[in-house]
Amino acid sequence: MITARYHREIPQRYRLEAGKCSTCQHVAFPPRPVCPKCKGRSFETVRLSEEGKIVTFTIVRVASEKFSKQTPYAVGIVELQEGIRITTQIVDAELDKIEVGQRVKLVFRRVQEDGRAGILCYGYKAIIA
Amino acid sequence: MRDVAVVGTGMTKFGELWGQSIRDIFVEAAQQAIADSGVDYIDSLYVGSMSPGLFVNQEHLGAVMADYLGVNPIPATRVESACASGGVAFRQAFLEVASGASDIVLAGGVEKMTDGADVTDVLAAAADQEYEVYHGITFPGLYAMIAKAHMHQYGTTREQLAAVAVKNHRNGVKNPNAQFRSEVSLAQVMSSTMVADPLRLLDCSPVSDGAAAVIVASLDVARKLNKNFVKVVASAQASDTIALHGRESITTFKAVVEASKKAYKIANLRPADINLVEVHDCFTIAEIVVSEDLGFFEKGKGGEAAKQGLTAIEGGRIPINTSGGLKAKGHPVGATGIAQIIELYEQLTSQAGPRQVKNVRRGMAQNMGGSGASCVIHILEAQ
Ligand SMILES: [Zn+2]
């Protein structure tokens, strides 16, 4: 992953910045140029809440090379308070105790290391609330 | 739009084809299809391929294949729609002939997956790279999350998932081109290595090399060839959010629902009018969800239907994946959508040998990309 590409996503990965549609109030994460609900094109930046619940999840046991040192690890879809859903790792939990519906909180963590560019890549992860 | 037919087919065996390159296998399938159809020219060709750039560092496949097939200077184009690349290539050929722009078009698909690439990494490129894959999700992981949600919402069981793999392996035994020609038991599936909970190794389609090609022609050309042909009575395609988490429902593929609605409307048919279907069973859960989304079973009942044998070749209500599906036949990604069309062609022209379903008139092929962000559906009819 090249550094510029990583850098562009920092507002979302570090600060959960989303786009709130000025017309219909729909919140899109990540922000996008056209509102998927009303086709509006004007947005204000809002920050998502860091609390939500697990909609579904899996334990990844076979990963790509980049993540192979972390296996087994949990990844889930988490629904935040605004109704926005995101994909995130679920960490600091016993893997066999994770359940659909559990409440989680997002925290700031190291997500991966880039072998070639050598940079550390950060972002949100979920812990059981 | 004028009527369009499939007039010839060709495919390599699917599997680990270490002795052949990506161009070798495509040319083999394409030459077979041309010979089988009896046409003496093609107006253009489409190659469906998901990621030759990442798998073997070769882009520009349209030109590569036209060159090695010896058909320059005809138009030759690669079509990419992740795992639906083959089905979409077929649709492009269909549209080109239906529009009257061409009379005879070759639609093929190919993938060379065993040349050493990080397959998990390449396949994940069909998902949202920045907001799914960045967090470590894999392709099996996405379908595992669908399975988990389907189990949670509808009570689908681990055993029902396994029943899909058992049935598809049983069908694959009867397919000479299949990668796996061996049966597996429920117990074997349910004790195979865990890949992404709750999906195990035998819930997953394999890593495969392979190519498939068909000749698409106007009905006028088809009649003059004086050989077996089948008519394309519907071609439909739909899209959905790239990320699984962006969907209102994780247990329904909206693109499948939308594309099938369109296909049924175009052909003026209902699910009950379809005699067999090839579905995109990249993972066992996908076959279950798709069998519901196509309208063959009530939502949430797909797992039970598979377990009860309602999707088997014999005694089934709607035979699903008589070819062995992606699970047993193999899943060289770009070739899959074309191989589905080939299975329908063989069934509808009564050439499927021990896999033959009796009294078949109409077959459906459902091919999808990513975690369901693309879906293309065709309905073929015997003549
Ligand atoms: Zn809006």
Side-chain angles (χ1 to χ4, degrees):
Chain A
M1 189 172 296
I2 56 169
T3 309
R5 178 178 177 177
Y6 176 73
H7 205 260
R8 287 196 297 267
E9 306 300 328
I10 282 179
Q12 282 69 50
R13 290 186 183 145
Y14 290 19
R15 300 189 294 275
L16 290 167
E17 287 184 10
K20 185 173 184 181
C21 175
S22 310
T23 312
C24 80
Q25 318 305 313
H26 174 77
V27 179
F29 181 84
R32 43 177 71 206
V34 181
C35 173
K37 294 291 176 203
C38 76
K39 315 296 175 202
R41 294 184 183 191
S42 156
F43 296 86
E44 61 167 313
T45 298
V46 295
R47 279 181 75 162
L48 298 178
S49 73
E50 290 164 356
E51 282 163 29
K53 63 173 201 277
I54 298 172
V55 176
T56 184
F57 70 96
T58 183
I59 313 296
V60 175
R61 296 177 193 273
V62 179
S64 63
E65 280 165 23
K66 211 178 288 169
F67 282 91
S68 58
K69 274 186 274 181
Q70 296 188 37
T71 57
Y73 57 90
V75 182
I77 292 178
V78 165
E79 184 169 307
L80 301 176
Q81 277 173 351
E82 299 83 350
I84 302 291
R85 289 176 176 186
I86 60 170
T87 296
T88 176
Q89 285 195 31
I90 302 163
V91 295
D92 297 354
E94 283 182 59
L95 295 180
D96 55 0
K97 298 263 168 65
I98 300 172
E99 282 174 29
V100 171
Q102 266 176 334
R103 305 212 66 84
V104 294
K105 185 173 163 33
L106 296 184
V107 292
F108 183 73
R109 291 286 170 90
R110 186 161 84 191
V111 176
Q112 52 172 277
E113 289 171 35
D114 186 337
R116 269 177 291 183
I119 62 167
L120 302 176
C121 304
Y122 295 86
Y124 44 82
K125 286 186 180 180
I127 56 170
I128 306 298
Chain B
M1 299 258 281
R2 58 178 175 164
D3 286 336
V4 174
V6 177
V7 299
T9 68
M11 69 183 280
T12 63
K13 192 175 167 24
F14 283 3
E16 294 172 335
L17 308 177
W18 291 333
Q20 291 174 292
S21 69
I22 189 169
R23 54 187 90 174
D24 293 337
I25 55 179
F26 186 85
V27 169
E28 180 185 323
Q31 283 178 329
Q32 260 187 44
I34 292 169
D36 181 49
S37 67
V39 298
D40 52 13
Y41 71 94
I42 51 176
D43 290 312
S44 72
L45 76 81
Y46 291 93
V47 189
S49 194
M50 175 187 160
S51 199
L54 294 176
F55 279 124
V56 295
N57 287 89
Q58 179 68 65
E59 304 287 11
H60 210 177
L61 276 201
V64 173
M65 299 315 176
D67 184 4
Y68 275 73
L69 188 57
V71 294
N72 290 145
I74 66 165
T77 310
R78 173 183 154 209
V79 174
E80 189 272 318
S81 199
C83 324
S85 297
V88 175
F90 180 78
R91 179 170 154 80
Q92 295 310 307
F94 164 83
L95 291 172
E96 187 168 318
V97 173
S99 73
S102 289
D103 290 326
I104 306 172
V105 178
L106 185 144
V110 66
E111 213 75 57
K112 183 75 188 166
M113 301 172 73
T114 69
D115 273 6
D118 179 352
V119 174
T120 304
D121 191 50
V122 177
L123 293 179
D128 184 330
Q129 198 62 253
E130 306 293 1
Y131 289 90
E132 291 183 304
V133 183
Y134 179 79
H135 297 280
I137 198 64
T138 59
F139 219 62
L142 287 165
Y143 279 88
M145 292 200 292
I146 294 170
K148 173 74 89 181
H150 205 271
M151 293 164 101
H152 190 258
Q153 191 168 347
Y154 299 112
T156 298
T157 66
R158 202 22 282 197
E159 201 176 2
Q160 291 168 350
L161 295 174
V164 172
V166 170
K167 183 261 300 172
N168 287 351
H169 270 259
R170 194 180 299 139
N171 295 350
V173 171
K174 299 172 181 164
N175 185 347
N177 289 321
Q179 182 164 359
F180 298 126
R181 304 196 64 195
S182 53
E183 296 208 17
V184 295
S185 67
L186 272 182
Q188 279 174 305
V189 180
M190 289 167 68
S191 62
S192 59
T193 310
M194 193 68 91
V195 173
D197 308 37
L199 299 182
R200 294 173 178 273
L201 187 64
L202 289 175
D203 288 298
C204 308
S205 54
V207 172
S208 322
D209 301 326
V214 297
I215 304 297
V216 177
S218 67
L219 209 55
D220 295 340
V221 168
R223 291 202 175 106
K224 283 182 197 137
L225 289 168
N226 203 22
K227 298 181 78 169
N228 281 321
F229 66 88
V230 298
K231 198 171 140 186
V232 183
V233 295
S235 173
Q237 188 178 340
S239 59
D240 199 354
T241 64
I242 185 71
L244 180 63
H245 62 233
R247 315 212 181 128
E248 280 163 38
S249 169
I250 290 168
T251 51
T252 292
F253 295 116
K254 199 171 174 190
V256 176
V257 173
E258 293 299 324
S260 66
K261 267 196 218 160
K262 269 194 234 170
Y264 288 129
K265 190 170 174 212
I266 292 166
N268 194 25
L269 296 171
R270 294 170 305 130
D273 300 319
I274 306 294
N275 307 119
L276 83 157
V277 55
E278 288 286 296
V279 309
H280 195 91
D281 61 318
C282 46
F283 300 92
T284 50
I285 184 62
E287 178 166 322
I288 289 172
V289 175
V290 169
S291 72
E292 299 165 352
D293 291 344
L294 293 175
F296 296 116
F297 302 106
E298 199 184 312
K299 196 72 213 163
K301 303 280 193 213
E304 198 182 314
K307 185 75 202 351
Q308 284 175 4
L310 300 182
T311 58
I313 291 177
E314 300 258 336
R317 195 200 305 166
I318 173 80
I320 298 184
N321 286 333
T322 55
S323 67
L326 285 55
K327 176 71 206 75
K329 184 180 52 194
H331 183 30
V333 182
T336 283
I338 301 291
Q340 291 179 325
I341 299 290
I342 294 177
E343 177 66 10
L344 297 185
Y345 178 90
E346 292 188 357
Q347 290 282 355
L348 295 172
T349 55
S350 299
Q351 300 179 76
R355 310 190 307 286
Q356 186 64 46
V357 181
K358 293 187 185 83
N359 305 317
V360 282
R361 172 130 193 263
R362 295 188 199 93
M364 174 185 273
Q366 177 271 338
N367 186 202
M368 65 182 170
S371 58
S374 293
C375 178
V376 59
I377 290 179
H378 289 94
I379 302 175
L380 274 53
E381 193 170 86
Q383 294 301 293

